[in-house]
């Protein structure tokens, strides 16, 4: 049971992912009382480290990098150790139905001409990724899907397959549904270098699991004595006026707050009952939904094996496979596909069939994954927007609505869809809340 005084707070935060926890910490360190309401029975949101297949696996967000300034500052703040998976010793890719084999450098050389041409004008379109709407002409580029811009390159079949598979690894959706601007934004974040973008989004992770970052932020927030985090507490409705808001939880309890920070992603903004309703400018992109609909598979195979990478095409159930852990008797692979409906990543037979696209010598022992598209508290993987969504909706999705403020990796300026973006948006929302609260 909660005491009566727990039913009022300075700031209510909906969601205990990286954005919600960061916002709570920032506000608590400025003397405000914060209550975080989390629907799940765990913190982290789309950061989800779980012990399965004999390893601590990242079922959600996986990689980070020192070119991501907000998350790297947190890694340094808490002294978290960073590691990486094993370096690939062989790489497989498809040319039509023929499996090619070489080094990872061979594959990177294969996709380099297409990547370079595709992204040649990145810094002209987005000269300042921290101010991504600065160039009004960006709306012109946002008309196109990534597939349309790849098709313009008229690549050979093996280059086309390879480039598309690499982008599915990044974008977790059919490429004809992804905005070309998404590719520009990722590459602008690494000053126009697609090689660095590729590394920044796919190599380094936290040694003790990425959840260790969420745990460190939560411990810091709680340590102020001003933050309460309630798990298994879905918020059903929010009513607000010019001065405060009242949140009603699924168990019927209510909480009154002077300000609210909503950390729901784009696909969930229309699922929360808000009175008066959220502006249509926020609800329209929520109804449209993002393009994100992919899948992530964790696969334990009999070992030992040489660490490898494999790329097929965007049309295969799994487009990218890589070795993430090796052992004397087994290895654990991670794979990505464009559409979660094409494969059940918890079915060993389906996963084994997907692996046989490249090689038939791997014995699948166990598989696992998390259905983010079917998860009522995410309904997407990481943010990939449809053509037109970014330039039409980004500013409106970021904007406060009276006492309601918004923070999510989905609405970050620089590394949207990444840990970094969650922290960036949270620090911005916390700053807005502090500026808007009248002195007691």
């Amino acid at each position: 049971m909660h005491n009566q005084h727990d039913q009022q707070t300075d700031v209510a935060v909906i969601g205990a992912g990286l954005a919600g926890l960061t916002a709570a910490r920032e506000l608590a360190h400025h003397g405000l009382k914060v209550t975080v309401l989390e629907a799940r029975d765990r913190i982290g949101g789309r950061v989800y480290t779980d012990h399965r297949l004999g390893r601590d696996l990242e079922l959600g967000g996986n990689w980070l990098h020192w070119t991501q300034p907000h998350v790297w500052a947190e890694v340094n703040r808490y002294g978290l150790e960073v590691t990486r998976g094993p370096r690939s010793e062989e790489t497989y890719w498809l040319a039509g139905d023929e499996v090619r084999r070489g080094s990872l450098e061979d594959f990177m050389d294969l996709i380099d001409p297409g990547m370079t041409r595709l992204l040649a004008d990145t810094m002209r379109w987005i000269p300042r990724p921290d101010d991504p709407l600065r160039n009004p002409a960006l709306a012109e580029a946002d008309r196109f899907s990534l597939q349309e811009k790849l098709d313009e390159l008229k690549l050979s079949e093996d280059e086309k397959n390879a480039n598309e598979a690499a982008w599915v690894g990044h974008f977790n959706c059919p490429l004809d549904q992804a905005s070309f601007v998404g590719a520009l934004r990722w590459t602008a974040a690494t000053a126009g270098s697609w090689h660095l973008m590729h590394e920044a989004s796919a190599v380094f992770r936290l040694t003790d699991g990425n959840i260790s970052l969420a745990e460190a932020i939560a411990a810091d927030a709680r340590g102020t004595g001003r933050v309460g985090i309630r798990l298994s507490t879905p918020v059903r409705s929010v009513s607000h006026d010019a001065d405060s808001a009242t949140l009603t939880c699924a168990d019927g309890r209510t909480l009154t707050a002077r300000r609210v920070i909503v950390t729901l992603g784009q696909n969930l903004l229309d699922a929360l009952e808000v009175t008066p309703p959220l502006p249509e400018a926020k609800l329209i992109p929520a109804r449209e939904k993002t393009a994100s609909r992919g899948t992530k598979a964790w696969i334990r195979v009999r070992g030992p094996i040489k660490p490898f990478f494999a790329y097929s095409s965007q049309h295969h159930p799994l487009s990218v496979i890589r070795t993430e852990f090796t052992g004397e008797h087994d290895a654990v692979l991670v794979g990505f596909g464009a559409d979660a409906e094409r494969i059940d990543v918890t079915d060993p037979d389906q996963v084994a069939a997907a692996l046989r696209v490249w090689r038939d010598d791997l014995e699948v022992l166990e598989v696992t994954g998390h259905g983010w598209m079917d998860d009522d508290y995410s309904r997407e993987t990481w943010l990939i927007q449809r053509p037109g969504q970014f330039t039409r909706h980004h500013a409106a999705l970021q904007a406060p609505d009276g006492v309601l403020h918004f923070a999510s990796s989905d609405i970050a300026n620089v590394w949207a869809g990444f840990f970094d973006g969650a922290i960036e948006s949270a620090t911005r929302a916390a700053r807005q809340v502090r500026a808007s609260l009248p002195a007691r």
Side-chain angles (χ1 to χ4, degrees):
M1 295 293 293
H2 292 265
N3 296 326
Q4 184 61 35
H5 72 268
D6 284 333
Q7 306 310 305
Q8 293 188 341
T9 191
D10 289 322
V11 184
V13 177
I14 301 176
L18 285 184
L21 295 171
T22 300
R25 179 196 66 194
E26 295 300 294
L27 293 167
H29 278 294
H30 281 82
L32 295 170
K33 181 182 176 184
V34 184
T35 302
V36 182
L37 304 174
E38 168 55 52
R40 296 182 171 97
D41 62 0
R42 60 176 180 83
I43 65 170
R46 284 179 280 180
V47 178
Y48 185 12
T49 309
D50 202 24
H51 191 78
R52 303 186 189 183
L53 313 188
R55 311 295 199 287
D56 287 331
L57 303 182
E58 304 300 342
L59 300 178
N62 213 127
W63 295 289
L64 45 69
H65 197 270
W66 49 88
T67 56
Q68 296 164 348
H70 301 89
V71 73
W72 206 257
E74 302 294 338
V75 169
N76 184 56
R77 179 198 299 244
Y78 297 117
L80 304 176
E81 184 180 340
V82 175
T83 187
R84 58 163 296 158
R87 295 180 186 276
S88 173
E89 295 181 23
E90 50 191 15
T91 300
Y92 302 82
W93 63 92
L94 296 186
D97 294 326
E98 180 184 345
V99 178
R100 300 279 174 87
R101 181 172 172 174
S103 67
L104 185 56
E105 290 72 23
D106 293 333
F107 180 82
M108 299 296 268
D109 287 344
L110 175 65
I111 65 174
D112 181 70
M115 287 283 187
T116 300
R117 289 166 57 204
L118 179 75
L119 301 166
D121 292 331
T122 293
M123 302 314 293
R124 178 174 67 83
W125 286 115
I126 307 179
R128 285 279 300 273
D130 63 314
D131 185 9
L133 295 174
R134 170 179 290 221
N135 178 4
L138 187 62
E140 174 63 25
D142 206 13
R143 294 171 42 232
F144 295 97
S145 71
L146 180 55
Q147 188 66 59
E148 288 173 312
K149 301 305 284 188
L150 282 166
D151 289 346
E152 286 180 8
L153 302 178
K154 301 190 183 307
L155 301 172
S156 66
E157 185 178 27
D158 54 344
E159 284 184 287
K160 178 179 169 67
N161 278 346
N163 274 273
E164 290 179 353
W167 278 111
V168 168
H170 292 317
F171 274 19
N172 77 112
C173 68
L175 302 184
D176 62 358
Q177 297 182 34
S179 171
F180 172 52
V181 161
L184 295 175
R185 291 183 70 197
W186 282 35
T187 312
T190 52
S193 167
W194 82 260
H195 283 277
L196 182 54
M197 177 272 288
H198 188 84
E199 176 184 284
S201 60
V203 179
F204 298 96
R205 52 182 161 80
L206 295 179
T207 302
D208 293 328
N210 292 329
I211 194 59
S212 64
L213 173 59
E215 290 169 344
I217 297 171
D220 191 347
R222 286 189 175 111
T224 65
R226 301 186 187 96
V227 174
I229 300 173
R230 300 181 188 172
L231 302 179
S232 303
T233 308
V235 175
R236 288 291 178 248
S237 65
V238 178
S239 60
H240 61 108
D241 58 28
D243 301 311
S244 66
T246 298
L247 294 78
T248 302
C249 301
D251 59 8
R253 286 189 295 175
T254 61
L255 175 69
T256 300
R258 299 164 74 199
R259 296 291 183 271
V260 178
I261 296 180
V262 180
T263 71
L264 305 180
Q266 178 178 320
N267 280 6
L268 290 179
L269 285 175
D270 62 341
L272 183 64
E273 180 184 330
V274 181
T275 308
L278 293 177
E280 278 293 297
K282 292 184 186 291
L283 295 175
I284 289 170
R287 295 180 192 125
E288 289 176 355
K289 304 307 178 195
T290 63
S292 317
R293 56 182 292 178
T295 193
K296 181 179 186 179
W298 285 101
I299 310 155
R300 188 168 78 91
V301 299
R302 190 172 303 283
I305 65 168
K306 288 183 179 180
F308 73 94
F309 249 108
Y311 296 85
S312 55
S313 79
Q314 67 166 314
H315 306 293
H316 287 77
L318 293 176
S319 300
V320 183
I321 295 282
R322 63 184 287 171
T323 308
E324 195 67 5
F325 300 95
T326 55
E328 185 177 346
H329 302 295
D330 68 354
V332 176
L333 319 175
V334 63
F336 295 91
D339 190 337
E341 294 185 2
R342 291 185 198 159
I343 185 170
D344 178 356
V345 296
T346 65
D347 183 331
D349 292 336
Q350 290 188 38
V351 173
L355 289 179
R356 285 195 291 273
V357 168
W358 302 281
R359 47 191 300 183
D360 56 10
D361 61 332
L362 297 173
E363 180 184 350
V364 173
L365 303 175
E366 295 178 273
V367 296
T368 193
H370 181 75
W372 293 102
M373 296 303 299
D374 298 324
D375 185 326
D376 283 340
Y377 304 123
S378 61
R379 296 187 191 167
E380 67 171 342
T381 52
W382 61 96
L383 176 86
I384 299 297
Q385 288 174 310
R386 299 178 184 279
Q389 285 186 332
F390 177 67
T391 50
R392 286 201 312 265
H393 304 311
H394 182 66
L397 286 169
Q398 284 188 337
D401 178 28
V403 298
L404 308 182
H405 295 256
F406 298 84
S408 162
S409 181
D410 286 14
I411 59 173
N413 284 338
V414 185
W415 285 102
F418 289 78
F419 304 148
D420 193 82
I423 297 164
E424 175 209 305
S425 72
T427 53
R428 178 168 49 250
R431 185 178 68 247
Q432 291 170 346
V433 166
R434 293 199 314 271
S436 75
L437 272 177
R440 281 196 178 278

